[in-house]
Amino acid sequence: MILGVLLLASNVSALPLARSFSNTLAGILSSKKKLTFDAQGNFKVVSFSDMHTGERPGDGSWAAWGPANDAATQVVHATVLDNEKPNYVVFNGDMITGENVFKENATNYLDIVYAPTVVRKIPFSSTHGNHDNANNINHAEEIEYEQTRYAELSYTRSDAGPKPYGNGNYWVPVYVKSTDWVPAAVLWFFDSRSFVSGTGDGPGPIPPAANYYWVDPNTVPNYIKLQRLLMTAVWWKVPPALVFVHIPVQKAQDLISLPTLGDHDDDAGLSTQGFLNNTYNGLDLPFWNEIVALNGGKGNVLAVTSGHDHGSSWCARSEDSSGIPICFNGHSGYGGYVTEHSVVRNGRVFNLNLADLATPVPTVKTWNSYEDNTTADAVTLGPEYLTAEKSGTA
Ligand SMILES: *[C@@H]1O[C@H](CO)[C@@H](O)[C@H](O)[C@H]1NC(C)=O
Ligand SMILES: *[C@@H]1O[C@H](CO)[C@@H](O)[C@H](O)[C@H]1NC(C)=O
Ligand SMILES: *[C@@H]1O[C@H](CO)[C@@H](O)[C@H](O)[C@H]1NC(C)=O
């Protein structure tokens, strides 16, 4: 019934009707200031991942290196933000090393993570990682805290997915100008769930409702599909998209052997979505298949970006990923493990540009921006990127 009305609405004479139906889309909120491209037609996104604040020794004791690492993480973020001057910041999961924090002040660590972005008044939102679900903190608590405390700057929502471990699924529109009602780009955010047990006193039991290492296949694919159909009915198009999800999809594993710029220290292997007890069960595919549908065979999905593997900061695509670029964030935090090439911390930058989005197949420029004031690994993701390459493994 509703879809029938919406299809009627895609008649030119019914434009005002379509505009009012636009408000039925989950990401259209009159309470939020519209995000817009700047006068030069750019909307720059800096994505930070794996901050891992609140770490403390495994024996449960306290040590000065935890707070010192958190302060160093803030310097990384401040440096990258001052160099890149982004329009938006994405925190792509593992904000907190949840298994180490105290229940009474766990969310204080979100204040530490967001502070450099908040003092610069940059709008932001977050995805949530495996370490953000633990005995003393979970995704729902982090989301509610962020929404309440940072009501003005935070665009994080909870449109779909099981609470409290997997409900951070939503999208955010970006417009050419604030009077527009059809966005020029959409940022999508997904919750790859998982849980890290223990409170510093060793591992504990994992709640059955948290023992899932992939985006929820029961609710999220339907959510993506419904939003895509509504966008098509109301806007007559699915806008070009950047996708963020903390744990990489299993398709990422096939791409690591391709000759790409950036660090390749981590073999995604058993740490991709869809693994339980070292066995791949394919349960990340319902989510991935809806990303492929969002791509529409037209390059609509500019990149699917993950953190989780601190030693990976490359972007690649192949037939195995249905031509969709899969990117890694690298490591922006002083918490968490460090690999040989991830010692100098970084954020990954995407510069959405209106001219690049207007080509028959849209493109986006991306690079890594480092705490030592350098940048590297700049590439343009689109139909020319890695066209001749095939994945080494199938
Ligand atoms: C959290 O509480 C612990 C224990 O009282 C304290 O040592 C730590 O500094 C607090 N952390 C934050 C970020 O407030
Ligand atoms: C995974 O392994 C654990 C520990 O060996 C076991 O208790 C659990 O039943 C296994 N889960 C599945 C789904 O096989
Ligand atoms: C990066 O640039 C800022 C601003 O010029 C400077 O304060 C900082 O020391 C530089 N960092 C490094 C590691 O060179």
Side-chain angles (χ1 to χ4, degrees):
M1 167 65 185
I2 286 184
L3 262 186
V5 175
L6 288 171
L7 289 172
L8 257 180
S10 14
N11 181 301
V12 179
S13 62
L15 262 182
L17 189 58
R19 187 192 298 236
S20 67
F21 269 106
S22 189
N23 298 331
T24 64
L25 283 155
I28 305 300
L29 300 171
S30 55
S31 57
K32 294 253 74 127
K33 188 169 185 279
K34 276 182 173 172
L35 299 169
T36 56
F37 284 73
D38 69 15
Q40 286 71 47
N42 293 310
F43 187 84
K44 194 193 258 190
V45 177
V46 163
S47 54
F48 292 123
S49 189
D50 295 275
M51 287 57 75
H52 283 278
T53 55
E55 287 196 336
R56 60 189 171 113
D59 62 8
S61 70
W62 193 247
W65 53 256
N69 281 348
D70 297 346
T73 300
Q74 291 186 316
V75 174
V76 174
H77 287 206
T79 302
V80 172
L81 295 176
D82 285 342
N83 286 332
E84 299 293 344
K85 300 194 168 38
N87 304 91
Y88 199 82
V89 173
V90 175
F91 297 96
N92 207 9
D94 284 358
M95 273 69 81
I96 299 177
T97 295
E99 67 273 28
N100 285 177
V101 295
F102 304 90
K103 182 118 194 131
E104 61 272 20
N105 68 0
T107 50
N108 285 12
Y109 291 94
L110 290 180
D111 298 334
I112 292 174
V113 172
Y114 300 149
T117 297
V118 168
V119 296
R120 287 167 180 76
K121 299 186 164 54
I122 307 169
F124 69 93
S125 64
S126 55
T127 75
H128 297 82
N130 45 314
H131 289 272
D132 295 303
N133 274 329
N135 297 73
N136 287 334
I137 188 72
N138 60 50
H139 291 189
E141 288 168 348
E142 288 197 21
I143 291 167
E144 279 157 33
Y145 180 80
E146 182 187 318
Q147 288 180 317
T148 306
R149 176 103 158 97
Y150 301 104
E152 207 172 317
L153 288 176
S154 167
Y155 284 71
T156 297
R157 293 197 316 279
S158 170
D159 288 352
K163 277 186 181 179
Y165 304 115
N167 55 318
N169 301 285
Y170 61 101
W171 57 270
V172 173
V174 187
Y175 301 87
V176 176
K177 51 189 194 308
S178 60
T179 48
D180 288 354
W181 65 282
V182 179
V186 165
L187 313 176
W188 293 82
F189 303 92
F190 297 105
D191 192 325
S192 47
R193 304 191 287 174
S194 299
F195 186 99
V196 180
S197 69
T199 53
D201 312 314
I206 297 176
N211 201 16
Y212 299 102
Y213 301 76
W214 48 87
V215 174
D216 180 40
N218 300 315
T219 56
V220 180
N222 285 339
Y223 164 75
I224 302 170
K225 184 177 182 181
L226 177 63
Q227 296 302 310
R228 173 172 58 81
L229 291 175
L230 285 169
M231 288 173 183
T232 309
V234 177
W235 298 335
W236 309 346
K237 67 168 186 179
V238 179
L242 289 176
V243 175
F244 296 91
V245 61
H246 179 73
I247 301 181
V249 291
Q250 198 274 332
K251 296 285 180 193
Q253 177 61 14
D254 294 336
L255 306 179
I256 191 170
S257 55
L258 292 175
T260 47
L261 298 173
D263 301 335
H264 294 70
D265 290 353
D266 280 329
D267 199 344
L270 304 180
S271 72
T272 59
Q273 289 187 43
F275 278 88
L276 186 63
N277 285 359
N278 296 339
T279 307
Y280 180 62
N281 57 25
L283 286 173
D284 64 329
L285 290 176
F287 162 66
W288 174 254
N289 290 339
E290 281 306 319
I291 299 300
V292 173
L294 207 55
N295 190 48
K298 294 188 292 233
N300 262 337
V301 176
L302 298 163
V304 177
T305 303
S306 292
H308 197 53
D309 291 353
H310 305 179
S312 292
S313 61
W314 46 267
C315 287
R317 66 194 275 269
S318 80
E319 288 168 5
D320 292 324
S321 68
S322 302
I324 298 172
I326 292 178
C327 292
F328 281 84
N329 274 110
H331 192 188
S332 84
Y334 267 76
Y337 74 90
V338 182
T339 65
E340 184 187 354
H341 298 97
S342 68
V343 175
V344 182
R345 309 307 205 265
N346 74 292
R348 173 170 287 284
V349 186
F350 289 95
N351 192 48
L352 294 167
N353 170 274
L354 290 175
D356 295 344
L357 298 181
T359 51
V361 180
T363 66
V364 66
K365 292 186 179 64
T366 183
W367 59 92
N368 290 312
S369 190
Y370 292 87
E371 61 176 323
D372 64 0
N373 293 320
T374 64
T375 62
D377 314 326
V379 292
T380 300
L381 304 177
E384 305 299 318
Y385 186 60
L386 290 179
T387 34
E389 303 293 345
K390 298 257 192 301
S391 296
T393 55

